[in-house]
């Protein structure tokens, strides 16, 4: 059975979502952020030396990095339904979107979050991160102008992986300037597996209890 080491209010919710989409059996081991520093507890280092979540265990295999986890889960448990067939152009685009989520889209989001925590908005990094965030949102919005999902008609792991950045932006400043992205987010977040991930994330978040 798959075990997910889940940190509250983190990227890990997407992995709950993916496990729900796949409909496989899994268990959660939950961790809470320090209310002041917002860092993960030391206990997480026992499974990931970096002390970060998500991490999964499956048949003795331990895997970190959200993109690698989604790639692994989809290849092992849901290749037919949640990714385009291997060795097709659509599959290459799918891999591109998987890498986009953490390789490009997450950077400006995290930079802006750290700036707001630091209260040092006037430095170079603020303008740079805001510009990059605008590029990311514009690209996704344009891409979705004539598509139901990132890859077209098929919902894939790339939609789940990219949801973290778009959901956080939606919660903080809204997506009304990006109407295609906004309606896409409403569409994917209405999926039963996404709703279940949301409910489970709340249930395992002591900040909210
Ligand atoms: N690139 C990694 C990033 C993992 C990561 O930074 N996770 C954050 C939660 S969103 C974390 O565990 N932070 C805890 C800490 O920094 O103490 C991934 O995609 O999984």
């Amino acid at each position: 059975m798959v075990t997910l080491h889940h940190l509250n209010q983190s990227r890990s919710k997407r992995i709950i979502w993916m496990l729900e989409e796949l409909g496989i059996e899994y268990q959660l081991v939950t961790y809470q952020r320090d209310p002041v520093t917002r860092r993960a507890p030391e206990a997480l280092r026992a499974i990931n030396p970096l002390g970060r979540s998500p991490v999964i265990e499956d048949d003795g295999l331990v895997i970190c990095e959200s993109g690698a986890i989604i790639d692994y889960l989809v290849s092992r448990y849901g290749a037919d339904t949640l990714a385009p067939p291997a060795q097709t152009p659509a599959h290459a685009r799918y891999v591109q979107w998987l890498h986009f989520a953490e390789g490009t889209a997450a950077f400006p989001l995290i930079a802006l979050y750290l700036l707001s925590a630091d209260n040092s908005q006037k430095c170079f990094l603020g303008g740079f991160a805001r510009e990059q965030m605008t590029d990311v949102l514009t690209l996704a919005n344009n891409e979705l102008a004539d598509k139901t999902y990132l890859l077209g008609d098929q919902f894939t792991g790339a939609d789940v992986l990219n949801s973290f950045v778009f959901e956080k932006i939606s919660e903080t400043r809204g997506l009304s300037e990006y109407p295609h992205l906004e309606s896409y987010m409403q569409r994917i977040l209405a999926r039963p597996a996404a709703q279940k991930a949301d409910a489970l994330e709340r249930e395992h978040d002591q900040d909210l209890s």
Side-chain angles (χ1 to χ4, degrees):
M1 179 169 47
V2 174
T3 301
L4 169 62
H5 293 264
H6 169 76
L7 177 68
N8 68 318
Q9 297 177 30
S10 78
R11 291 162 161 88
S12 177
K13 184 174 87 167
R14 294 171 301 182
I15 308 302
I16 304 181
W17 179 356
M18 206 66 227
L19 290 161
E20 289 292 331
E21 291 285 350
L22 292 164
I24 58 174
E25 212 187 329
Y26 67 95
Q27 63 179 4
L28 293 177
V29 177
T30 60
Y31 303 81
Q32 301 295 316
R33 288 182 184 272
D34 181 293
V36 177
T37 65
R38 307 300 295 158
R39 300 301 309 271
E42 280 298 305
L44 196 50
R45 291 185 191 269
I47 188 75
N48 176 359
L50 292 175
R52 308 261 185 116
S53 171
V55 185
I56 61 159
E57 292 178 84
D58 192 21
D59 277 346
L61 185 64
V62 176
I63 308 178
C64 310
E65 290 299 329
S66 321
I69 294 171
I70 290 211
D71 189 16
Y72 171 82
L73 290 173
V74 168
S75 313
R76 177 146 193 208
Y77 298 107
D80 320 346
T81 52
L82 287 158
Q87 292 171 1
T88 60
H91 193 270
R93 297 275 295 159
Y94 163 72
V95 172
Q96 178 200 289
W97 278 109
L98 285 186
H99 286 274
F100 181 78
E102 288 294 328
T104 296
F107 165 71
L109 180 81
I110 302 300
L112 290 170
Y113 167 73
L114 293 176
L115 273 173
S116 68
D118 250 4
N119 199 22
S120 52
Q121 309 270 1
K122 287 192 184 121
C123 68
F124 162 81
L125 184 59
F128 181 72
R130 270 186 284 277
E131 230 171 73
Q132 296 244 315
M133 195 74 258
T134 302
D135 282 351
V136 163
L137 297 172
T138 304
L139 178 109
N141 189 60
N142 292 344
E143 189 78 21
L144 288 160
D146 56 357
K147 291 197 185 81
T148 310
Y149 303 112
L150 289 173
L151 271 295
D153 294 336
Q154 184 184 15
F155 174 81
T156 68
D159 295 298
V160 175
L161 199 53
N162 279 282
S163 68
F164 174 69
V165 168
F166 303 147
E167 194 178 1
K168 291 287 164 218
I169 294 291
S170 165
E171 284 164 7
T172 50
R173 49 176 258 204
L175 285 170
S176 55
E177 291 163 68
Y178 306 94
H180 305 304
L181 183 57
E182 187 176 44
S183 54
Y184 158 80
M185 284 307 287
Q186 285 161 0
R187 190 155 56 244
I188 64 168
L189 292 177
R191 293 175 70 87
Q195 302 269 306
K196 181 81 184 286
D198 209 46
L200 281 172
E201 188 197 40
R202 283 168 195 281
E203 190 184 318
H204 293 286
D205 189 343
Q206 287 170 9
D207 278 1
L208 302 175
S209 57

